[in-house]
Amino acid sequence: MVESTITSKGRTTIPKSVREALGVKPGDRVRYLVQGDEVRISPVRPLARLFGALKGTVSISKDTDLTSPLDEDWDAAR
């Protein structure tokens, strides 16, 4: 079990072993999930870091129209 101290301003340092377990570095963000009298800390993964994780699972042909449809197109489709 790892512990840290809360300062008078409500701050604490996440211990090195916890940072390593979460895979977080300076500048990364963490999320706190409060469940009763317990708190879970999890890393916030920016989309840029996840880019490529789904590589090869989505395919778009060169003929795919990626423009936004006009309101009339949406109305006609309904």
Side-chain angles (χ1 to χ4, degrees):
M1 182 176 295
V2 181
E3 297 180 0
S4 64
T5 303
I6 306 294
T7 68
S8 62
K9 292 186 178 186
R11 298 178 182 178
T12 189
T13 299
I14 299 173
K16 183 178 180 183
S17 61
V18 175
R19 294 191 313 266
E20 289 174 346
L22 292 174
V24 294
K25 297 173 275 193
D28 286 352
R29 298 181 60 85
V30 293
R31 179 173 291 131
Y32 299 91
L33 175 63
V34 179
Q35 295 179 317
D37 62 347
E38 294 184 357
V39 178
R40 290 182 165 203
I41 301 174
S42 59
V44 176
R45 302 286 184 220
L47 290 178
R49 186 182 269 183
L50 296 175
F51 187 76
L54 301 176
K55 187 176 180 181
T57 61
V58 177
S59 72
I60 299 175
S61 71
K62 64 180 181 178
D63 301 332
T64 303
D65 180 11
L66 298 176
T67 59
S68 296
L70 300 173
D71 288 338
E72 304 88 49
D73 295 335
W74 282 109
D75 292 338
R78 284 192 241 172

